[in-house]
Amino acid sequence: MPKNLVIVESPAKAKTIQKYLGKDFEVKSSFGHVRDLPGKGMNIDIKNNFEPNYEVSPEKKKTVAELKRAAKTADLVWLASDEDREGEAISWHLSEILKLKPDNRRRIVFHEITEGAIKNAVNNPRDIDDKLVDAQQARRVLDRIVGYELSPMLQRKITKGLSAGRVQSVAVRLVVEREEEIKNHKTEQFYRIKLQVSAKKEQFEAVLDKKIKTIEDARKILEDIAGKSLKVTAITKKPGRKTPPTPFTTSSLQQAASQTLGMSPRNTMSNAQKLYEAGLITYMRTDSMNLSEQALGSLEKLIPSKYGKEYLNITRYKTKSSGAQEAHEAIRPTDFSKEIAGADEYQKKLYSLIWRRTVASQMTAAKLEKTVINLKSSGSDEIFEAKGEMLIFEGFIKAYGRSGQDSILPNLEQKDEVDLNSAEAHLSYGKKPGRFTEASLIKKLEELGIGRPSTYAPTLSTIQN
């Protein structure tokens, strides 16, 4: 029988790790948490220092029985759950259930499922971090108290089936406050005049940068410029730059996947979990923007060979907020030579986004030339503006790509003539505050320090359901 029993959280992870550790190790999965507060009742002794009453979850009794049998025949039990509050609590619960002592248990952590990372973890074990366990228990107890004290009141006063929670209640309040802001917005009616113009075989847009109060005034301007050409009266050019994006944290990955791939936070985390378990990316629940020296070394070779040495700019990012997940790296590929990876189209798209973002984070800034062209019609004193930018040096954009459609302007000089193709006056009511998207609500929660990366996806699903 193997002398070492390794317990991880997921069966997919267990299969990958087993092949790295060999026959002296048996790798089994706990399938996540094995013990929790019972589903019915408070099960917290509030008068006795908030003592929780835990039980083995009914659906985990078979799993626990198998782990007990395996632990009896092993000399050492290696607790290899994730390195966050939940993972530390899982290791502690397993240690309590299996009656492990410090001399026959080892706590190991790794941020990527690669042979080097697994063997390094086995060579550098530690014990269970009691502070992380206490933090998880405090949050769990608080969840239960809020849920059992506040939820019944919601159900009595509002409607059946509602539940309260530390994070979801605040998220709902933010949504409600935004809705009130939208309702209280005072509309202002005015007209905006937009022109479609062309010069040097390129078409672009110019706008009148002022509000026209009445339809009569708008109609007069359109009539004055109809059939007339426009002349360039001034050109302003300013050098600009776009800095590379930072490596992905959990929340920034959820936001970017929502905006660029149309993935919900729940789908993002589900696919990231599968990529992690397959050994393709580092741990996907993290607040850290840090990249390991090994990762930076790989990028130091990759970027010059793929894009050119002028694109390389190694940067060590520091995370503004501190937290338990700081021990991790940012989310990155484990092997940068793999540009495409994943079992299906969704995983491949997410992996590609992570690969491009990580590589871009170590590249130079993009150099731009921001341009404003003033145009005047011979039939009117109004000045129309065309705004755009010219890309002088791609920098990180070469790897990451551009976000949005930037207006590209032709190379014009003062007094050049520009053709007027069409002119329209659009009725506008001013810009209302927009409703939250999943990505913008996550950003707001993060800005306010509400919740943790692992809570965002389930919180958004719960309040929408």
Side-chain angles (χ1 to χ4, degrees), residues 89 141 192 241 246 263 289 316 327 371 388 395 424-425:
V141 167
R192 284 275 191 208
R241 66 199 297 268
T246 58
M263 274 190 190
M289 294 188 291
R316 289 168 176 82
T371 306
E424 293 179 346

PDB file of all heavy atoms in Angstrom, residues 89 141 192 241 246 263 289 316 327 371 388 395 424-425:
ATOM      1  N   ALA A  89      -9.695  25.814   5.528  1.00  0.00           N
ATOM      2  CA  ALA A  89     -10.763  25.237   6.365  1.00  0.00           C
ATOM      3  C   ALA A  89     -11.023  23.784   5.983  1.00  0.00           C
ATOM      4  O   ALA A  89     -11.252  22.939   6.859  1.00  0.00           O
ATOM      5  CB  ALA A  89     -12.035  26.066   6.215  1.00  0.00           C
ATOM      6  N   VAL A 141     -19.925  31.626  10.195  1.00  0.00           N
ATOM      7  CA  VAL A 141     -20.847  31.875  11.314  1.00  0.00           C
ATOM      8  C   VAL A 141     -21.663  33.144  11.046  1.00  0.00           C
ATOM      9  O   VAL A 141     -22.881  33.173  11.256  1.00  0.00           O
ATOM     10  CB  VAL A 141     -20.061  31.989  12.640  1.00  0.00           C
ATOM     11  CG1 VAL A 141     -20.935  32.564  13.749  1.00  0.00           C
ATOM     12  CG2 VAL A 141     -19.519  30.615  13.049  1.00  0.00           C
ATOM     13  N   ARG A 192     -27.859  67.422 -31.148  1.00  0.00           N
ATOM     14  CA  ARG A 192     -26.449  67.269 -31.494  1.00  0.00           C
ATOM     15  C   ARG A 192     -26.338  67.155 -33.012  1.00  0.00           C
ATOM     16  O   ARG A 192     -27.093  66.384 -33.630  1.00  0.00           O
ATOM     17  CB  ARG A 192     -25.874  65.992 -30.868  1.00  0.00           C
ATOM     18  CG  ARG A 192     -25.599  66.112 -29.385  1.00  0.00           C
ATOM     19  CD  ARG A 192     -24.247  66.721 -29.143  1.00  0.00           C
ATOM     20  NE  ARG A 192     -23.861  66.602 -27.740  1.00  0.00           N
ATOM     21  CZ  ARG A 192     -23.057  67.452 -27.134  1.00  0.00           C
ATOM     22  NH1 ARG A 192     -22.572  68.491 -27.800  1.00  0.00           N
ATOM     23  NH2 ARG A 192     -22.728  67.289 -25.879  1.00  0.00           N
ATOM     24  N   ARG A 241       0.157  58.063 -24.930  1.00  0.00           N
ATOM     25  CA  ARG A 241       0.607  56.675 -24.741  1.00  0.00           C
ATOM     26  C   ARG A 241      -0.464  55.894 -23.996  1.00  0.00           C
ATOM     27  O   ARG A 241      -1.234  56.462 -23.208  1.00  0.00           O
ATOM     28  CB  ARG A 241       1.951  56.613 -24.013  1.00  0.00           C
ATOM     29  CG  ARG A 241       1.936  57.103 -22.592  1.00  0.00           C
ATOM     30  CD  ARG A 241       3.331  57.445 -22.076  1.00  0.00           C
ATOM     31  NE  ARG A 241       4.201  56.312 -22.043  1.00  0.00           N
ATOM     32  CZ  ARG A 241       4.378  55.499 -21.016  1.00  0.00           C
ATOM     33  NH1 ARG A 241       3.645  55.680 -19.913  1.00  0.00           N
ATOM     34  NH2 ARG A 241       5.222  54.498 -21.057  1.00  0.00           N
ATOM     35  N   THR A 246      -2.456  45.338 -16.406  1.00  0.00           N
ATOM     36  CA  THR A 246      -1.819  44.523 -15.362  1.00  0.00           C
ATOM     37  C   THR A 246      -2.203  43.052 -15.559  1.00  0.00           C
ATOM     38  O   THR A 246      -3.210  42.751 -16.203  1.00  0.00           O
ATOM     39  CB  THR A 246      -2.286  44.973 -13.968  1.00  0.00           C
ATOM     40  OG1 THR A 246      -3.713  44.855 -13.919  1.00  0.00           O
ATOM     41  CG2 THR A 246      -1.901  46.412 -13.695  1.00  0.00           C
ATOM     42  N   MET A 263     -18.779  36.288 -21.471  1.00  0.00           N
ATOM     43  CA  MET A 263     -18.916  35.196 -20.492  1.00  0.00           C
ATOM     44  C   MET A 263     -19.430  35.746 -19.172  1.00  0.00           C
ATOM     45  O   MET A 263     -18.950  36.775 -18.692  1.00  0.00           O
ATOM     46  CB  MET A 263     -17.558  34.533 -20.238  1.00  0.00           C
ATOM     47  CG  MET A 263     -17.192  33.437 -21.196  1.00  0.00           C
ATOM     48  SD  MET A 263     -15.709  32.575 -20.568  1.00  0.00           S
ATOM     49  CE  MET A 263     -15.310  31.580 -21.990  1.00  0.00           C
ATOM     50  N   MET A 289      -1.299  40.650  -8.249  1.00  0.00           N
ATOM     51  CA  MET A 289      -0.849  40.934  -9.616  1.00  0.00           C
ATOM     52  C   MET A 289       0.610  40.513  -9.813  1.00  0.00           C
ATOM     53  O   MET A 289       1.219  40.810 -10.833  1.00  0.00           O
ATOM     54  CB  MET A 289      -1.005  42.425  -9.923  1.00  0.00           C
ATOM     55  CG  MET A 289      -2.455  42.883  -9.962  1.00  0.00           C
ATOM     56  SD  MET A 289      -2.671  44.559 -10.550  1.00  0.00           S
ATOM     57  CE  MET A 289      -1.962  45.510  -9.212  1.00  0.00           C
ATOM     58  N   ARG A 316       7.354  44.632 -12.482  1.00  0.00           N
ATOM     59  CA  ARG A 316       6.896  43.907 -11.293  1.00  0.00           C
ATOM     60  C   ARG A 316       5.775  44.718 -10.645  1.00  0.00           C
ATOM     61  O   ARG A 316       6.019  45.777 -10.074  1.00  0.00           O
ATOM     62  CB  ARG A 316       8.060  43.678 -10.326  1.00  0.00           C
ATOM     63  CG  ARG A 316       9.051  42.646 -10.851  1.00  0.00           C
ATOM     64  CD  ARG A 316      10.357  42.623 -10.057  1.00  0.00           C
ATOM     65  NE  ARG A 316      11.217  41.557 -10.537  1.00  0.00           N
ATOM     66  CZ  ARG A 316      12.017  41.652 -11.610  1.00  0.00           C
ATOM     67  NH1 ARG A 316      12.039  42.777 -12.314  1.00  0.00           N
ATOM     68  NH2 ARG A 316      12.773  40.634 -11.988  1.00  0.00           N
ATOM     69  N   ALA A 327      -0.723  35.565  -1.300  1.00  0.00           N
ATOM     70  CA  ALA A 327       0.309  34.534  -1.373  1.00  0.00           C
ATOM     71  C   ALA A 327       0.400  33.945  -2.774  1.00  0.00           C
ATOM     72  O   ALA A 327       1.409  33.372  -3.147  1.00  0.00           O
ATOM     73  CB  ALA A 327       0.007  33.430  -0.369  1.00  0.00           C
ATOM     74  N   THR A 371      -5.248  63.446 -32.261  1.00  0.00           N
ATOM     75  CA  THR A 371      -5.431  64.519 -33.226  1.00  0.00           C
ATOM     76  C   THR A 371      -6.844  65.091 -33.157  1.00  0.00           C
ATOM     77  O   THR A 371      -7.820  64.344 -33.039  1.00  0.00           O
ATOM     78  CB  THR A 371      -5.174  64.002 -34.659  1.00  0.00           C
ATOM     79  OG1 THR A 371      -3.885  63.386 -34.699  1.00  0.00           O
ATOM     80  CG2 THR A 371      -5.215  65.119 -35.680  1.00  0.00           C
ATOM     81  N   GLY A 388      -9.587  61.914 -33.306  1.00  0.00           N
ATOM     82  CA  GLY A 388      -9.103  60.555 -33.561  1.00  0.00           C
ATOM     83  C   GLY A 388      -7.683  60.393 -33.077  1.00  0.00           C
ATOM     84  O   GLY A 388      -7.121  61.289 -32.434  1.00  0.00           O
ATOM     85  N   GLY A 395       3.518  48.675 -29.395  1.00  0.00           N
ATOM     86  CA  GLY A 395       3.807  48.235 -28.038  1.00  0.00           C
ATOM     87  C   GLY A 395       2.999  47.005 -27.671  1.00  0.00           C
ATOM     88  O   GLY A 395       2.868  46.063 -28.458  1.00  0.00           O
ATOM     89  N   GLU A 424     -26.664  65.441 -39.996  1.00  0.00           N
ATOM     90  CA  GLU A 424     -27.891  65.101 -39.277  1.00  0.00           C
ATOM     91  C   GLU A 424     -27.902  65.774 -37.909  1.00  0.00           C
ATOM     92  O   GLU A 424     -26.854  65.950 -37.285  1.00  0.00           O
ATOM     93  CB  GLU A 424     -27.993  63.579 -39.070  1.00  0.00           C
ATOM     94  CG  GLU A 424     -28.194  62.788 -40.355  1.00  0.00           C
ATOM     95  CD  GLU A 424     -28.257  61.283 -40.099  1.00  0.00           C
ATOM     96  OE1 GLU A 424     -27.872  60.869 -38.981  1.00  0.00           O
ATOM     97  OE2 GLU A 424     -28.679  60.554 -40.987  1.00  0.00           O
ATOM     98  N   ALA A 425     -29.108  66.129 -37.464  1.00  0.00           N
ATOM     99  CA  ALA A 425     -29.296  66.641 -36.099  1.00  0.00           C
ATOM    100  C   ALA A 425     -30.026  65.568 -35.294  1.00  0.00           C
ATOM    101  O   ALA A 425     -31.112  65.127 -35.673  1.00  0.00           O
ATOM    102  CB  ALA A 425     -30.106  67.925 -36.133  1.00  0.00           C
TER     103      ALA A 425
END
